[in-house]
């Protein structure tokens, strides 16, 4: 379990983490549990139950929910289950998303463009809408959306557009909901090293041309970071948990780049 900054920082808080079966979402869930949150892990993979079980074995309070968050019905059902399990939702971390294909824009067909936006914008739109009635009723709550500094990058234009939408959603929804005591913020990760994915995000780049396009993204990402390296899931989780915590009580409508100096 991840070493906590403050073991009691999320005591008595209920946190929902989407895309929690692996990668940044898993790092966030582990750290929330380590800092005493009751965590609901949402993913469309059965793997989420295994992860929740491991967290419980380590003494954490964790519950897994399977849902397809690319559909509003899935988001609505997941938020309803979290509310039913715990009676409230204090924190929502919207982590679902990620580039499926990397290529110059002229090589995306219409289906790929739509799939990228469906993957990286709609889950956040849907879950924000699904959780909002609960937070308004409570007159409290925090949403942290996971964006990306790839909003200014190469070979991922549809993904960049989707994450730009996440940034706009964050700013606009923060303006609407501050009157209810709700905060909405976003973290924008840069390149992040992670263990090999247990669930493939999309088809592997099998051709030499596809491998070259992928390499261009890696090179540009490293070059754009002042620190000239990729981050770790734990470094991303640290920033996300700060924004989710009461330590960030005067922060809303803000996108925080977490990218080694790349502002996106």
């Amino acid at each position: 379990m991840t070493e906590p900054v403050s073991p009691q920082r999320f005591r008595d808080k209920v946190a929902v983490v989407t895309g929690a079966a692996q990668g940044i979402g898993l790092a966030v869930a582990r750290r929330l549990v380590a800092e005493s949150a009751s965590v609901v892990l949402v993913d469309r993979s059965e793997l989420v139950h295994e992860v929740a079980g491991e967290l419980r074995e380590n003494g954490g309070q964790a519950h897994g929910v399977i849902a397809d968050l690319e559909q509003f019905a899935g988001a609505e059902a997941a938020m309803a289950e979290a509310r039913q399990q715990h009676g409230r939702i204090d924190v929502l971390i919207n982590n679902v998303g990620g580039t499926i294909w990397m290529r110059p824009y002229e090589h995306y067909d219409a289906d790929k463009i739509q799939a990228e936006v469906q993957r990286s914008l709609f889950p956040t739109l849907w879950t924000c809408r699904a959780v909002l009635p609960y937070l308004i009723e409570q007159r409290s709550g925090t949403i942290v959306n996971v964006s990306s500094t790839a909003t200014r990058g190469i070979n991922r234009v549809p993904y960049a557009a989707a994450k730009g939408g996440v940034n706009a959603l964050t700013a606009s929804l923060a303006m609407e909901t501050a009157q209810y005591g709700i905060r909405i913020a976003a973290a924008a990760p840069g390149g992040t090293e992670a263990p090999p994915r247990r669930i493939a995000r999309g088809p592997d780049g099998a051709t030499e041309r596809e491998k070259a396009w992928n390499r261009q993204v890696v090179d540009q990402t490293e070059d754009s970071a002042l620190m000239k390296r990729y981050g770790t899931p734990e470094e991303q989780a640290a920033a996300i948990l700060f924004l989710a915590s009461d330590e960030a009580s005067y922060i809303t409508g803000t996108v925080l780049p977490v990218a080694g100096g790349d502002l996106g």
Side-chain angles (χ1 to χ4, degrees), residues 92 94 128 131-132 135 141-145 173 182-186:
L92 169 62
N94 280 318
C128 282
V131 80
L132 205 55
L135 304 189
T142 300
I143 299 174
V144 180
N145 298 321
L173 192 57
I182 298 168
R183 293 191 302 108
I184 319 287

Side-chain angles (χ1 to χ4, degrees), residues 74-91:
E76 196 171 37
M79 297 305 112
E81 184 168 345
R83 168 68 176 261
Q84 183 177 18
Q85 282 281 329
H86 297 282
R88 63 183 295 110
I89 297 172
D90 299 294
V91 174

Side-chain angles (χ1 to χ4, degrees), residues 179-241:
Q179 62 182 312
Y180 303 113
I182 298 168
R183 293 191 302 108
I184 319 287
T192 304
E193 295 284 0
R197 297 183 64 85
R198 297 175 66 183
I199 310 161
R201 178 174 286 165
D204 291 332
T207 70
E208 290 304 313
R209 182 168 69 167
E210 288 169 334
K211 291 176 182 177
W213 288 336
N214 290 359
R215 185 70 240 176
Q216 287 173 349
V217 171
V218 172
D219 290 345
Q220 182 257 302
T221 299
E222 291 179 343
D223 185 61
S224 296
L226 302 183
M227 298 175 77
K228 305 303 178 188
R229 67 170 176 87
Y230 271 41
T232 67
E234 290 72 28
E235 286 175 315
Q236 300 299 339
I240 291 166
L241 261 71

